[in-house]
Amino acid sequence: MAEAAESSSGRAGGGRGRSSPPPAEVEAVAAGWMLEFACYCMCRHFGEGCAAEFWRWGNVAQALIDDVSKIPTHQKKVVYLCQLLLRIAKGKNLECHFENDKRISPLESALPFWTLLEREENKLEKLHEDIRLLIQIQIVAVHMENGYFREAAEVLERLYTDSDSDKPLRVKLATVIRSKDPYVPLLQSFSYDLLISKVKSYIELFMKENETNFLIQAATKQVESNGLGATTLQSKTVNVEDDKRNLETKQRPHLGQKHRVSSVLQNFDLDNSGVKEIKRLDNWKNRLYKKLGDLNSLQNVETHGDALASGRRRQRWTYKEDLELKSGIRKFGVGNWAKILVHGHFNNRTGVMLKDRWRTLCRIEQD
């Protein structure tokens, strides 16, 4: 009977003589995975300019960050980055407050978190310096753009010490504030858009380093096993390959600039035109990825799964599809096949098919 009781007790305990780990520890590990995944999603949507999705994942991250002191050391960088991005995203809104002190703007509140991130790594000195400088300049610039010149002067006093290294920039910004002109070349050249582009460069590197997140890998395997990944990837590849190459060309200078922003600033003259601002990347890329992934690709898998599995069959163009194509060209112009595909209703078409059909319609009209 004693042996039977021991056997029964062993089975109840899992059969291996080991007790289950404390639920709190299990929850902490799972929460860490979720926090890293939420931060990864925030970075992706920040880079693609999708505000709605960025804030959705930002809310998830905030809910997981119960207390910074309870976050494991190896995840402190994730916490700092989430807090930084939330504040940068609200950088131009002086009515938004992240601190109890209402004088502190979102960008001024972001600066301490950038300092913490700088301490976590030492291999990106150039990019760190550029972003710090741009945050400091834009803290003053945003106040001036809103007509708060007295507050801009107060911010300047809080930001800059009496150290010799800060003195040149402090003097130039003080001169700008006294001019009460928010459109001087200094502020226009070291603009909020340039700050955003630099932050995007930084989070691109972060995302590459965090592709091994458990939830990302598990979700990727699940999508691939369901047969959705290949279809979505094929649709995206056909329609955005040229645009991807263009985006890579645009982004490359941000990661490999030969001159620091600070070195340009040292030679900056308030009377000259300054350096050119870096253009903001098109937001349509995000809409294309989201709608193709959520609507077209998934709908095609569900409705036309057999046709996709055996290869695309040649289908006759319907009158309705021709109207959709013409409407899309009137709205977006010839050549913007990816945008037309996303916003139109087509029967399992690709951007290449749209281009070929338009050529055919042009020949028919000429005849």
Side-chain angles (χ1 to χ4, degrees):
M1 290 293 293
E3 293 178 356
E6 291 176 359
S7 175
S8 175
S9 175
R11 288 194 296 272
R16 297 183 179 179
R18 294 187 304 175
S19 60
S20 300
E25 294 184 11
V26 174
E27 290 177 3
V29 171
W33 288 338
M34 290 188 287
L35 176 58
E36 292 173 1
F37 181 73
C39 182
Y40 183 92
C41 292
M42 286 177 66
C43 289
R44 185 169 70 86
H45 294 299
F46 185 95
E48 295 177 351
C50 182
E53 289 299 304
F54 169 80
W55 286 109
R56 185 167 75 89
W57 284 106
N59 291 333
V60 172
Q62 283 285 63
L64 292 169
I65 303 172
D66 181 26
D67 186 347
V68 175
S69 64
K70 297 179 182 178
I71 300 295
T73 302
H74 70 279
Q75 288 186 330
K76 290 288 181 71
K77 181 177 177 180
V78 172
V79 174
Y80 301 153
L81 183 55
C82 289
Q83 300 290 8
L84 174 82
L85 293 180
L86 291 172
R87 287 157 172 78
I88 294 291
K90 287 290 187 179
K92 286 200 170 242
N93 185 358
L94 294 179
E95 302 302 318
C96 178
H97 302 288
F98 290 89
E99 313 297 335
N100 292 330
D101 187 344
K102 302 304 182 184
R103 299 176 303 166
I104 306 299
S105 67
L107 285 179
E108 190 174 354
S109 176
L111 196 56
F113 286 102
W114 182 247
T115 300
L116 292 170
L117 280 170
E118 287 180 302
R119 293 174 182 173
E120 292 291 317
E121 54 194 7
N122 53 18
K123 61 182 180 180
L124 298 172
E125 286 187 22
K126 171 186 172 300
L127 191 56
H128 284 162
E129 184 179 346
D130 289 353
I131 292 177
R132 168 174 287 277
L133 187 64
L134 285 161
I135 292 176
Q136 291 172 326
I137 292 176
Q138 279 303 303
I139 292 173
V140 174
V142 170
H143 280 86
M144 292 189 62
E145 288 172 4
N146 286 272
Y148 299 141
F149 303 110
R150 179 174 60 82
E151 290 80 358
E154 293 174 355
V155 166
L156 192 63
E157 292 296 322
R158 289 198 298 269
L159 285 180
Y160 296 102
T161 64
D162 294 328
S163 65
D164 292 336
S165 60
D166 292 333
K167 187 174 181 180
L169 179 58
R170 187 173 71 250
V171 170
K172 288 178 180 179
L173 287 176
T175 303
V176 169
I177 293 173
R178 285 195 297 270
S179 73
K180 295 186 178 181
D181 182 4
Y183 302 105
V184 297
L186 174 63
L187 301 185
Q188 293 297 298
S189 297
F190 298 92
S191 65
Y192 182 76
D193 287 345
L194 181 57
L195 169 61
I196 294 298
S197 70
K198 287 286 183 178
V199 173
K200 287 180 180 181
S201 297
Y202 176 81
I203 61 179
E204 283 176 11
L205 299 175
F206 173 84
M207 291 174 65
K208 289 179 181 178
E209 294 174 356
N210 289 270
E211 289 177 342
T212 56
N213 172 266
F214 173 77
L215 287 184
I216 294 175
Q217 291 183 327
T220 300
K221 291 179 181 178
Q222 181 66 30
V223 171
E224 290 175 347
S225 66
N226 288 342
L228 299 179
T231 303
T232 304
L233 179 61
Q234 181 182 9
S235 179
K236 291 178 182 178
T237 302
V238 169
N239 294 300
V240 302
E241 191 61 36
D242 292 338
D243 300 281
K244 182 179 178 182
R245 284 194 291 268
N246 292 335
L247 286 171
E248 289 174 351
T249 302
K250 292 179 182 178
Q251 293 169 353
R252 202 168 292 127
H254 305 326
L255 297 176
Q257 284 181 320
K258 296 181 179 179
H259 303 290
R260 299 185 181 186
V261 170
S262 57
S263 65
V264 175
L265 180 62
Q266 292 173 0
N267 299 320
F268 192 90
D269 184 348
L270 293 180
D271 294 329
N272 66 28
S273 59
V275 296
K276 292 182 179 179
E277 295 184 15
I278 298 177
K279 295 180 180 179
R280 182 180 297 180
L281 299 179
D282 292 336
N283 291 338
W284 72 265
K285 178 188 173 187
N286 174 70
R287 297 197 301 271
L288 169 63
Y289 274 27
K290 186 176 186 301
K291 291 190 177 182
L292 276 179
D294 293 346
L295 300 176
N296 291 351
S297 296
L298 185 57
Q299 184 179 10
N300 289 341
V301 170
E302 294 173 347
T303 308
H304 307 287
D306 295 338
L308 288 171
S310 60
R312 283 192 173 90
R313 299 171 183 172
R314 189 172 184 83
Q315 303 178 47
R316 293 181 63 86
W317 280 75
T318 64
Y319 178 72
K320 183 178 179 181
E321 284 183 304
D322 285 346
L323 291 179
E324 288 284 337
L325 177 57
K326 293 177 181 178
S327 175
I329 288 174
R330 284 194 300 271
K331 185 173 183 180
F332 300 106
V334 176
N336 291 314
W337 310 118
K339 291 184 180 180
I340 296 171
L341 182 65
V342 170
H343 291 83
H345 300 283
F346 300 97
N347 184 20
N348 192 28
R349 304 295 184 183
T350 67
V352 175
M353 291 179 180
L354 266 60
K355 179 177 68 174
D356 292 341
R357 181 57 180 173
W358 177 243
R359 288 176 177 173
T360 300
L361 290 176
C362 289
R363 286 197 298 269
I364 292 174
E365 292 180 0
Q366 291 175 355
D367 295 340

